[in-house]
Amino acid sequence: MANNSHQRKKKRSKTSKRHKQQEPAGPRRFSEFGKFANDLLTKGYIHDQTLSISTHSCNGVVCCATLIYDLIFQSIIITSRASRQGRRSTANVGAQYKYKNAAVEMNFDTKSSIATALSFRGEILPSMNVNASLRLPEYGSSQLNLKFQQSFRNAALSISVGLNQSPDILLSATIGTSSIAFGIESKYKTTSRSFSRLDAGISVTNPSRDASIILAEKGDLLRLAYAHRFGQSRKISAVAEVTRRLSNNKNSLAVGVSCIADKLTTVKATLNNRGKLQALLVHKIQPNSSLNISAEFNMKALDKIPRIGLALALRL
């Protein structure tokens, strides 16, 4: 009898775990509405030459060191970056240290400016992030930001407050399911006591499709985006985005396509109604290193020299 009761308890626990795993996910946040389409159209395209080298110490890399040194420096990432756009060149060196839910980041650039960022996640509340940034000598741009995000079964809420002399309050909320969601986002300026941003939208998504309609800029800009992933492997994706500014009745159209050639290579291309054609090749050299080659052509002015961008990121 005891064995039977024990087996019944095991079955109940297994069924309860299955029910928990089968519970549907909540709706996506408003910042994720149309994100897949926007990333396919804009992410990764560059117009300058950039070289980034980063190294980090971890277990097995820091050899012949004491235990205290290994515990302190096992999460340090040092990054050096140099970029050139035309005749202008810039460079910076940064260091980032992570420990549990905290991270400290410092950056030094050729303009003799120092930027420091400190972030905590889940230290005060499990759903709250605390970010502080300090920039020298322009200390006036320093700020402290509190961000609260909470996801429920049929709703998602995000509140961001900047703690400075004139704080801005950013609020976004969505309701629905993982397949369809309705959302709104607003930004309130305490100095003018008015809303500088008021957006609303709807998002419909499944493994093969991602569609969104967003009414932004206080009802002046209407943006419609649709992305489709083809085949069972979904290696080929196509996207179309239409925007209309209601104040002057101007429309814009952009289309794009992405193809994952293999595990290391991805090819993308976009074209808009102004005749700007962009192409991008992303090749992973190592799991953490990549080479990006981008080109931009003006189809309405083929006599102009195309813009070529090159970015090499190495993780040692």
Side-chain angles (χ1 to χ4, degrees), residues 271 274-277 297-302:
L271 176 65
R274 296 187 299 273
K276 185 171 73 173
L277 174 64
F297 306 88
N298 190 346
M299 303 300 293
K300 296 182 179 180
L302 296 177

Side-chain angles (χ1 to χ4, degrees), residues 87-161:
R87 297 182 178 179
R88 185 178 60 182
S89 300
T90 59
N92 62 48
V93 178
Q96 185 185 59
Y97 171 67
K98 291 183 179 180
Y99 181 74
K100 293 184 178 180
N101 295 330
V104 180
E105 185 175 355
M106 294 187 67
N107 285 284
F108 309 87
D109 59 21
T110 53
K111 297 180 180 179
S112 300
S113 64
I114 303 174
T116 305
L118 176 65
S119 63
F120 296 94
R121 183 176 182 181
E123 294 290 332
I124 303 174
L125 292 174
S127 302
M128 180 175 289
N129 297 341
V130 180
N131 297 314
S133 64
L134 175 64
R135 180 178 291 274
L136 297 175
E138 299 175 358
Y139 61 89
S141 59
S142 304
Q143 59 182 357
L144 177 63
N145 184 271
L146 298 179
K147 189 173 184 180
F148 174 82
Q149 291 183 343
Q150 184 65 48
S151 297
F152 305 95
R153 185 174 180 180
N154 296 109
L157 178 66
S158 176
I159 302 174
S160 179
V161 181

Side-chain angles (χ1 to χ4, degrees), residues 155-198:
L157 178 66
S158 176
I159 302 174
S160 179
V161 181
L163 301 182
N164 48 31
Q165 295 181 352
S166 56
D168 295 337
I169 302 174
L170 183 64
L171 171 65
S172 67
T174 57
I175 58 172
T177 64
S178 59
S179 300
I180 181 170
F182 303 87
I184 187 172
E185 184 177 72
S186 62
K187 186 176 183 180
Y188 181 77
K189 286 187 171 292
T190 56
T191 53
S192 59
R193 296 182 180 180
S194 61
F195 288 94
S196 61
R197 183 194 305 173
L198 188 59

